[in-house]
Amino acid sequence: MTTPRSVALERLAYTLAAPVLAVAPNLYPDSPVNSVVQLAGAAGIGGWILAGKSDEPGAGRKILRWTPLVLAAAVDVAAGHTTGFGPCWLDGLLAAGWAAAGSFVLPFSRHTRRRHRPALAAPAPQPAPAHAAEPTVAQPDDGADQLTREARMLWERAGMPARTHVVKATRHTAMRHDLTLLLRASETGRPITGLSPEIVGAAFGVSAADVTLADVAIQPGRQGGPGWMEARIAPEANARRRTKPTDEERWIDRVASPKGGAPGSELVHKTRDNERGVTFYRAKMSDSTESPRIDLPKTCRALDLPEDDSCVFVLIDGAEFLISAFDTPPLSAIFPATRELLTPDAKGMYVCGFTITGQPVKTMVYQHDKNAPAHGLTLGVSRSGKTQFFAINMAAQSLDGQVVWLSTVRKDEKTTVLGRYIDRQGSNALWMARSLRAAKALCEIRAEMPWPHDGQPHDYKPGDTRCPYRQLNVYADEFMTAAQDSDFGEFIQKDGEDLTVTGLKYGIGFNPAGQSPFAHNGFSTEMKDNLRQNSRPVIFNMGSPGATRKAAEGTMENAYDVPTIPARYSRSEGSAIERAMRGEADPENGVSTGGVAVIVLDNGRAVLMRSLYADFDTDLSQLFPDEVNRLTDYEISELEKRGLWFDWDEPVRPGEFWPEPDEDGDDGEGRSRRRGGGGGGKSGGGRGSKSGNRRSEQVASPRQALEAIKSLTDA
């Protein structure tokens, strides 16, 4: 056995230093050797103190390492204070004991060896050769990282599900347990079949809901296709997603799911406008060829929004759509009408209202692109805002220099006020029949009216300064009610339909209004088609959201999504269930939706707007021009020749609408056969009366029978 060199040198140092410690204090008290030994002892005491205060491990070894110096100084001091070599050679015994203790303890040579290196004499232990594990199918020796090897062990323990192999496992960023597995079929050329989230979840001890399987795209340097699959295992991310989802995650899980409010969609971004108090959700369809199918109430519940039609709106534009959630009903604001807004531009367009997003909505007083006047169709129940819209529309037409006639079934305050600023106004079915008859006659008059530049008649051209007449706009409020009048309804319906078809060539626009756009209420299919194609229909509240939607779809070429107009704007306060349990009444905080309408634009899209407000309690002269626009003298004289220009409030004139009875007063001929012939000018005649046919006339003579046959055959 070989003694280490450091041990031999240290023992030699102790052996040589022991006589010096015993002799130097006694023979040479003032020798510098004593000072050096005592300084070395003081240094050893300092080392003790530092080792005791240190928090690092190995303090005992450090104290033992400094002990020989401290003991040497103690022996030197003791030898210096004894007489001679002390009793019984005490100084020599202390020095010898110090050397012997140092030789056996060996503090420096033993405790300064790093990592406890074995002595040179001790043979180095030889580790037994480990048997290398043979690579298996699940764990090939391909240099995979530790995570991949551990995943392969779990996969092999599960029996290699679906005959697949784990190619690589990748840990998700900042996640301890979330990872993505890249799988491939164990057999080359075979597709992966039979793998499910439940199988993967069982292999890794997670819920099947936390496992997502996806196809692998072909990448440079790596295959793809049916023989590869990617399994995403994310229990931590899903736990956070269920409790604190982001906006995108909430949309994917609750809105875009197959049973969500907008299936197949994806959120583009969510923005907040604090100034206007609105939150916008802009989304689009994942497949740009699909059209959005939006269930607004379900979408509101998914986004934790109040299910309130007055505050949440959806706007669809192709494959994209925008959901606007307002803090307060945006259409409850009032937008006063001004002359600046109502003045038509060079294309005949003027601002008639504003949308929920604050965008101006325009309608037309004539069709610039078709070089023709514009019809108008206004629908809505009573107190919905039709007459208010009449006012701003008439003001815009008057500001453009056009003539306006207004007829209603019954007289009211607002129409009487409007009569002060337009050419003519009346309030009964007879007045409406006369106005339509006169307008129809104007078509014939203007067809023969020469233009001053060449002396030839021409079709009406909006904005042409050479035109010798002004555009005429005929309004018929409650047209459906008037069309069903027992005396004049047939004339109103027939002349209104003719005016709708032929009036545009001669600068005459027809503007009916009522509560239904359907044929059984006075609108023929031909009439409705002409109104729809040559106007921007405006539908106010029709009494219920369903009726409003149906009326709007009836005026649209294609049934687009129609916004809902509630009966009143009312915010939901608290829980209806809790109020029912406490027996409390529901809050009455409704605000009228009068003036809110759906306008159908040229592309068939329905837009919700708030029409401009004309205050009838104040002077409307600020909206209308200073002078009322009238027909030309030539037109009036021609109407007078036909017996159609007079005070239309007069009672029915003899022979105006139907022939008068014969003078002989015969029973059969004495009864008035209304609507049978054409009195009152060229266009004043009507057609055969349905009400006359309903009369059960008694035929008592050959003459009466002949007259009856003539009336049936129009002989």
Side-chain angles (χ1 to χ4, degrees):
M1 231 182 173
T2 305
T3 302
R5 184 180 301 173
S6 60
V7 173
L9 292 175
E10 189 173 354
R11 287 177 176 174
L12 178 61
Y14 289 145
T15 303
L16 296 176
V20 175
L21 291 178
V23 174
N26 291 305
L27 298 181
Y28 308 101
D30 298 330
S31 174
V33 175
N34 297 321
S35 300
V36 172
V37 172
Q38 292 175 9
L39 289 175
I45 294 174
W48 277 2
I49 295 173
L50 293 176
K53 291 183 178 181
S54 176
D55 295 332
E56 296 180 359
R61 290 196 302 272
K62 294 179 181 179
I63 293 174
L64 188 61
R65 190 179 304 158
W66 292 103
T67 298
L69 299 179
V70 177
L71 293 179
V75 171
D76 184 81
V77 171
H81 287 79
T82 57
T83 303
F85 287 95
C88 301
W89 290 84
L90 179 61
D91 296 345
L93 294 176
L94 290 175
W98 173 81
S103 298
F104 285 103
V105 176
L106 302 176
F108 283 98
S109 62
R110 177 174 295 176
H111 297 287
T112 55
R113 277 183 258 153
R114 295 183 179 180
R115 298 184 182 89
H116 300 283
R117 290 177 299 187
L120 184 60
Q126 298 294 330
H131 295 283
E134 296 182 1
T136 64
V137 177
Q139 296 182 348
D141 188 10
D142 57 356
D145 55 17
Q146 184 65 22
L147 179 63
T148 302
R149 291 184 176 275
E150 292 176 357
R152 288 172 179 174
M153 292 176 58
L154 296 176
W155 201 249
E156 184 179 16
R157 187 184 65 180
M160 308 289 286
R163 296 158 63 189
T164 56
H165 163 67
V166 177
V167 178
K168 183 175 180 58
T170 306
R171 192 183 304 278
H172 296 177
T173 305
M175 295 292 179
R176 295 182 58 188
H177 305 291
D178 295 359
L179 68 156
T180 298
L181 300 179
L182 180 61
L183 306 173
R184 67 172 174 83
S186 300
E187 303 170 9
T188 305
R190 183 185 66 82
I192 298 177
T193 58
L195 192 63
S196 65
E198 289 77 11
I199 295 176
V200 178
F204 288 87
V206 298
S207 173
D210 298 331
V211 179
T212 304
L213 300 179
D215 296 333
V216 176
I218 299 177
Q219 299 179 3
R222 189 186 74 186
Q223 295 180 351
W228 294 72
M229 186 169 288
E230 187 176 83
R232 179 185 175 91
I233 306 171
E236 288 187 51
N238 288 350
R240 194 263 320 150
R241 186 168 185 165
R242 286 187 291 268
T243 55
K244 296 180 179 179
T246 63
D247 296 328
E248 290 76 11
E249 292 170 346
R250 183 191 297 272
W251 188 276
I252 293 173
D253 296 340
R254 306 184 64 181
V255 179
S257 61
K259 295 184 178 181
S265 63
E266 60 184 34
L267 183 65
V268 177
H269 60 74
K270 172 187 175 183
T271 57
R272 172 70 181 176
D273 190 337
N274 293 319
E275 183 178 354
R276 296 163 59 194
V278 58
T279 302
F280 294 108
Y281 296 85
R282 183 174 182 177
K284 66 178 181 179
M285 300 302 294
S286 301
D287 185 354
S288 60
T289 62
E290 294 184 359
S291 299
R293 294 178 291 108
I294 302 172
D295 186 338
L296 191 56
K298 184 181 290 186
T299 303
C300 290
R301 291 192 293 270
L303 298 177
D304 293 335
L305 298 174
E307 301 176 43
D308 194 345
D309 291 332
S310 61
C311 292
V312 182
F313 303 91
V314 60
L315 176 63
I316 299 177
D317 184 11
E320 294 187 341
F321 60 94
L322 177 69
I323 296 177
S324 307
F326 290 84
D327 298 339
T328 57
L331 296 179
S332 60
I334 302 298
F335 302 102
T338 62
R339 181 172 292 193
E340 290 73 18
L341 294 175
L342 298 180
T343 301
D345 57 16
K347 294 185 177 181
M349 307 296 292
Y350 75 95
V351 177
C352 63
F354 290 89
T355 65
I356 56 173
T357 57
Q359 298 172 269
V361 181
K362 291 187 175 183
T363 189
M364 50 195 172
V365 295
Y366 58 79
Q367 303 179 83
H368 180 267
D369 57 334
K370 296 182 180 180
N371 206 20
H375 288 316
L377 177 60
T378 308
L379 303 174
V381 298
S382 299
R383 312 301 298 175
S384 61
K386 295 195 305 294
T387 309
Q388 288 281 348
F389 190 75
F390 278 177
I392 63 173
N393 207 25
M394 291 176 183
Q397 292 166 345
S398 299
L399 291 171
D400 195 56
Q402 302 176 13
V403 183
V404 179
W405 293 351
L406 170 62
S407 60
T408 58
V409 175
R410 296 175 182 84
K411 186 176 183 179
D412 59 46
E413 177 188 6
K414 292 182 179 179
T415 55
T416 303
V417 172
L418 288 175
R420 305 171 189 168
Y421 305 98
I422 60 178
D423 186 25
R424 306 198 80 171
Q425 180 266 330
S427 302
N428 52 60
L430 174 60
W431 203 99
M432 185 181 296
R434 286 169 167 170
S435 66
L436 294 175
R437 186 181 56 174
K440 185 177 176 182
L442 275 176
C443 294
E444 299 179 4
I445 296 171
R446 292 181 173 184
E448 301 174 355
M449 196 170 178
W451 287 41
H453 69 283
D454 60 359
Q456 299 295 325
H458 299 278
D459 288 344
Y460 176 72
K461 297 178 178 60
D464 193 337
T465 57
R466 302 172 302 175
C467 184
Y469 51 83
R470 301 174 185 268
Q471 179 175 320
L472 173 63
N473 301 281
V474 180
Y475 284 82
D477 193 12
E478 300 298 341
F479 177 78
M480 281 69 71
T481 303
Q484 297 173 8
D485 183 77
S486 59
D487 293 330
F488 309 104
E490 188 173 358
F491 297 105
I492 292 173
Q493 184 174 353
K494 175 63 170 60
D495 291 343
E497 181 177 336
D498 292 345
L499 193 63
T500 304
V501 176
T502 62
L504 296 182
K505 291 184 180 180
Y506 312 106
I508 301 176
F510 185 45
N511 298 263
Q515 300 184 15
S516 172
F518 302 106
H520 63 274
N521 287 333
F523 277 94
S524 66
T525 302
E526 185 180 23
M527 181 179 183
K528 186 175 66 174
D529 289 344
N530 277 277
L531 290 173
R532 180 179 60 196
Q533 292 296 328
N534 296 284
S535 70
R536 288 188 169 183
V538 178
I539 300 93
F540 291 88
N541 195 339
M542 298 295 292
S544 68
T548 305
R549 188 177 300 108
K550 184 178 179 181
E553 291 176 351
T555 62
M556 298 167 66
E557 187 172 356
N558 296 314
Y560 288 75
D561 291 332
V562 179
T564 301
I565 303 178
R568 284 178 175 81
Y569 289 142
S570 58
R571 299 303 309 275
S572 301
E573 295 185 3
S575 171
I577 296 177
E578 293 179 358
R579 286 196 299 270
M581 295 176 64
R582 293 192 298 264
E584 297 178 356
D586 289 336
E588 298 180 2
N589 55 356
V591 179
S592 172
T593 56
V596 177
V598 175
I599 183 170
V600 182
L601 303 180
D602 297 339
N603 58 1
R605 185 165 59 92
V607 176
L608 195 64
M609 72 165 185
R610 179 81 184 219
S611 64
L612 299 181
Y613 177 71
D615 190 0
F616 281 83
D617 295 332
T618 61
D619 189 6
L620 295 182
S621 60
Q622 58 182 348
L623 303 180
F624 287 83
D626 297 334
E627 295 184 3
V628 178
N629 302 313
R630 310 284 186 182
L631 295 180
T632 62
D633 295 337
Y634 176 81
E635 292 172 307
I636 294 175
S637 64
E638 289 295 321
L639 288 174
E640 288 177 344
K641 292 178 183 179
R642 290 166 168 78
L644 301 177
W645 191 259
F646 54 91
D647 185 1
W648 292 339
D649 287 321
E650 292 181 4
V652 180
R653 294 183 173 185
E656 183 178 359
F657 289 97
W658 47 81
E660 286 302 302
D662 292 342
E663 295 180 358
D664 57 7
D666 184 80
D667 239 359
E669 298 174 0
R671 293 188 179 93
S672 172
R673 293 177 302 169
R674 296 186 233 176
R675 307 170 180 84
K682 291 183 181 180
S683 63
R687 60 184 179 181
S689 169
K690 294 181 180 178
S691 61
N693 294 335
R694 288 194 296 265
R695 295 185 178 186
S696 57
E697 298 186 357
Q698 299 293 330
V699 179
S701 64
R703 183 178 179 181
Q704 293 178 8
L706 182 60
E707 291 294 332
I709 292 173
K710 289 182 178 180
S711 65
L712 291 175
T713 59
D714 199 22

